[in-house]
Amino acid sequence: MRLVESDYGCDLELSWVHRRYKFGSSVVRAPLLAATLVAWIGAKCPSVLHVAALCCLIWVSGCASTLPITERPVSYTVAAGPTSELGGIHERAGISQDLSGAWPLVEPDLALDARIALIEKAQVSVDMQYFSFADDRVGHTVLSTLAGAASRGVRIRLLVDDMSTAGLDGALSEFARRGNVEVRLFNPFLRGRASRIGRLIDLALDFKRLQRRMHNKLFVADGVVAIVGGRNIGDEYFARSGQRDFLDFDLLLTGTVVNDLGSGFDTYWNSPYALPVADVVGSTARSEALVRVGGEIPVSVRRDEFGVWPLRDQLKSKAYRLVPGRATTFADNPVKADARGLVGFEQTLTYRVFGLLGDAKQEVILISPYFIPAQRGLARIRAAREAGVRLRVYTNSLAGTDMPLVSAHLNGYRAELLKMGVELYEIGGAPEKREQSVADLLDSTYGSLHAKVASVDGKLLLIGSLNLDPRSSRINTELGVAVYSEELATMVLEALGLDRLPGTFKLRLDVDGETVRWEPTAGTAPTTEYSHDPNTTWWQRLRLLLMSRLVPEDLL
């Protein structure tokens, strides 16, 4: 057993399970993790067994800490003028001042190159807000580029959720000591930061607070260009892990919506939940790990899925391609991270998204790697179907997901969704070689869907960090953007082409009206239908079923 990190949080990986079955902060019922933690520590070091047991009992009793109040400067978004290099993109792309400009970043190498190019061209500021900022090749490259921008006078603000920073205290502290750089940690761990087991114990002692994470992903350069979507900063989000890579999606944005995104960043940055890294880890930790590039990542020189050159080349030629649209941004209030539960469901991003989906007249398409509709979502879906709205849902299969317990809890909804007439697709169930550029992203053994996208009537595109599950709804903070553009929605859905990907299955009910069957879509081999989750064994499914009984749905 070992502690690992995921898009959901800090997890336990049990070696006796055939793959990474996640328990951690997102999915563990208190008694389960308490028993596991006591047994593990007792086996490793029996002398501390009673101490660990006491800690777990304190946690189970509901103990929760409060963050210290620290003095820190309040700061706000700094925007470059319209005559600056990045400030001129919107106008040169021919977008009206009362609209926003958008461009899809489907391919991972082009999405990474766009971030690097924007940092290199920034003149006044770069603001970054991410759930995860990894100590790997992509993380090194991004941070090294940020350091170069800071050295020429660009103000850098980096806000990272603290769940994924184990082992990075020294590196982030060292980076924050550079001129023009500030680093803050959101909802930080206060005890045992130096080791993963120490963090796990802190999680046990302070579960009510520490399970609440900032899941937002936002990049803003010079206050005039933004990137939003599902990607964190790490190798697997840009197809460079070599072992597991995510099929993900970002949207590049200009125009008035960027002002709103910048204001939203400021709200999080200046909130009491975002503490300067030095106040959390002290001022003595020193390391340069994250600013060593460790081999430059090659710059992409190919056109994207739509035949357009990368943003780096557009910046050189000053000839830009954007799609016009009316855009609005949605973000949870950072107070959602408060363990006292100060935010009601009606104040969440999930509620606002459901409101937009409720406006559908013809068709809704939902793409979510983790999909548990829960009773609220089920009621919305039922209402849409009764109004004659076609509904298509794309999510990960059990064989393709990195969160099998989510797939297990979806079992309880599949038949009911299909009876309503929902078209349900599951992705990642076949290991054969993919040929298409987008499909290649699922070619690794542990690859899976990670994009969070929705389309309403083919005219409204929703993109952001929001998963369609109880955790995103109730516990994590999330960020999203809605763009009203039929052209953009058509481009994105065509580029992703999820129902054409090999390894995709369409679910249907058997003649008995109760049994779910998995029917392979075009390009998936073998073409045999399944009466159970494809490419899994009965023993894997049984173990998952038993474990899912221990895990409450509202923590998923």
Side-chain angles (χ1 to χ4, degrees):
M1 181 176 78
R2 63 190 180 93
L3 192 65
V4 297
E5 286 142 8
S6 72
D7 194 43
Y8 261 47
C10 187
D11 306 308
L12 287 175
E13 180 176 323
L14 305 182
S15 59
W16 51 268
V17 181
H18 81 290
R19 63 188 301 165
R20 188 178 295 177
Y21 280 69
K22 309 254 177 131
F23 288 70
S25 65
S26 60
V27 296
V28 177
R29 173 174 274 169
L32 176 61
L33 183 55
T36 305
L37 185 60
V38 169
W40 184 36
I41 295 180
K44 295 291 184 180
C45 185
S47 63
V48 299
L49 177 58
H50 293 93
V51 175
L54 178 60
C55 291
C56 292
L57 288 174
I58 292 173
W59 169 42
V60 172
S61 70
C63 176
S65 71
T66 57
L67 291 174
I69 299 175
T70 63
E71 291 293 331
R72 59 196 188 285
V74 174
S75 61
Y76 298 96
T77 299
V78 177
T83 59
S84 66
E85 190 154 11
L86 299 185
I89 292 178
H90 188 80
E91 182 178 356
R92 294 191 190 105
I95 308 298
S96 171
Q97 290 300 314
D98 60 340
L99 295 176
S100 294
W103 192 258
L105 299 174
V106 182
E107 297 91 337
D109 56 335
L110 299 180
L112 176 60
D113 189 54
R115 288 168 168 84
I116 298 299
L118 288 171
I119 295 171
E120 291 174 343
K121 292 296 183 180
Q123 294 176 286
V124 295
S125 66
V126 175
D127 295 329
M128 297 180 66
Q129 177 184 17
Y130 284 98
F131 171 75
S132 175
F133 201 116
D135 184 11
D136 58 18
R137 193 180 178 196
V138 166
H140 296 173
T141 301
V142 171
L143 215 60
S144 178
T145 311
L146 287 171
S151 67
R152 63 175 191 272
V154 177
R155 188 195 68 179
I156 307 298
R157 294 189 297 176
L158 176 60
L159 177 59
V160 182
D161 185 88
D162 198 39
M163 181 61 79
S164 63
T165 61
L168 301 181
D169 283 354
L172 291 175
S173 296
E174 184 75 12
F175 181 64
R177 281 191 281 267
R178 293 172 176 265
N180 300 313
V181 173
E182 288 185 80
V183 179
R184 293 184 181 179
L185 302 177
F186 191 86
N187 199 20
F189 286 73
L190 301 177
R191 296 169 289 243
R193 297 186 56 85
S195 68
R196 293 172 184 255
I197 184 59
R199 284 179 173 236
L200 182 59
I201 293 174
D202 195 10
L203 174 64
L205 289 168
D206 202 1
F207 183 74
K208 284 186 177 180
R209 178 178 68 85
L210 290 176
Q211 71 155 337
R212 296 178 177 270
R213 308 313 319 172
M214 182 191 74
H215 197 239
N216 310 37
K217 288 99 173 167
L218 174 63
F219 174 100
V220 182
D222 275 354
V224 293
V225 183
I227 297 176
V228 299
R231 290 185 175 102
N232 291 296
I233 302 300
D235 287 352
E236 63 266 36
Y237 299 97
F238 299 93
R240 297 182 181 277
S241 73
Q243 295 181 337
R244 70 164 188 179
D245 290 315
F246 289 118
L247 170 58
D248 222 322
F249 177 76
D250 290 318
L251 201 62
L252 185 142
L253 294 160
T254 64
T256 56
V257 70
V258 180
N259 298 332
D260 297 333
L261 290 167
S263 296
F265 179 92
D266 292 340
T267 299
Y268 276 81
W269 182 260
N270 296 315
S271 77
Y273 312 100
L275 274 60
V277 63
D279 292 349
V280 176
V281 308
S283 59
T284 57
R286 301 189 66 84
S287 170
E288 300 223 2
L290 265 179
V291 296
R292 292 198 306 267
V293 176
E296 291 187 4
I297 293 179
V299 174
S300 179
V301 293
R302 65 180 179 86
R303 297 175 186 263
D304 67 11
E305 190 85 9
F306 314 101
V308 174
W309 287 107
L311 181 62
R312 179 181 299 276
D313 293 274
Q314 296 180 50
L315 287 166
K316 291 178 182 177
S317 65
K318 293 183 170 49
Y320 302 101
R321 181 77 178 274
L322 295 173
V323 176
R326 181 167 57 88
T328 58
T329 182
F330 307 88
D332 283 321
N333 192 308
V335 77
K336 193 177 178 184
D338 197 300
R340 294 169 292 180
L342 302 178
V343 174
F345 178 69
E346 293 75 13
Q347 299 170 282
T348 64
L349 175 61
T350 301
Y351 180 81
R352 299 181 71 180
V353 168
F354 276 151
L356 290 175
L357 299 182
D359 295 335
K361 305 300 182 185
Q362 298 174 333
E363 181 183 55
V364 172
I365 298 174
L366 302 175
I367 301 171
S368 178
Y370 315 115
F371 179 63
I372 301 177
Q375 292 306 312
R376 281 195 179 102
L378 209 60
R380 295 278 185 164
I381 291 171
R382 182 178 292 107
R385 290 294 303 135
E386 290 175 350
V389 176
R390 181 186 181 190
L391 187 64
R392 285 188 278 168
V393 177
Y394 297 85
T395 190
N396 280 311
S397 69
L398 175 57
T401 186
D402 65 331
M403 286 295 301
L405 283 172
V406 172
S407 183
H409 277 270
L410 178 59
N411 280 336
Y413 295 98
R414 284 186 178 123
E416 190 168 1
L417 289 167
L418 293 173
K419 288 177 183 178
M420 292 181 194
V422 175
E423 299 172 44
L424 186 58
Y425 294 82
E426 295 187 0
I427 299 168
E432 70 270 6
K433 176 68 178 176
R434 279 88 172 175
E435 301 297 336
Q436 302 168 349
S437 59
V438 174
D440 283 341
L441 306 184
L442 294 177
D443 193 36
S444 62
T445 302
Y446 202 50
S448 62
L449 174 71
H450 195 260
K452 304 99 164 49
V453 181
S455 171
V456 179
D457 291 339
K459 300 176 181 178
L460 169 62
L461 187 74
L462 298 168
I463 175 71
S465 66
L466 180 73
N467 295 310
L468 298 175
D469 57 21
R471 166 154 289 272
S472 284
S473 173
R474 298 176 53 257
I475 300 173
N476 288 344
T477 70
E478 305 288 355
L479 170 70
V481 171
V483 183
Y484 295 83
S485 168
E486 185 173 354
E487 179 184 359
L488 184 66
T490 300
M491 289 173 63
V492 171
L493 295 176
E494 179 64 26
L496 291 175
L498 298 180
D499 52 346
R500 301 192 309 271
L501 287 180
T504 298
F505 291 82
K506 183 176 182 179
L507 280 62
R508 67 174 181 85
L509 290 176
D510 209 340
V511 291
D512 62 5
E514 296 293 338
T515 304
V516 176
R517 297 190 68 85
W518 284 255
E519 183 179 78
T521 60
T524 296
T527 58
T528 307
E529 286 191 2
Y530 292 82
S531 58
H532 55 73
D533 295 279
N535 300 301
T536 61
T537 68
W538 69 268
W539 179 232
Q540 292 166 358
R541 296 191 296 275
L542 177 60
R543 284 185 295 180
L544 184 60
L545 176 64
L546 295 175
M547 284 187 288
S548 68
R549 294 293 186 265
L550 300 173
V551 181
E553 178 183 292
D554 59 0
L555 288 182
L556 287 169

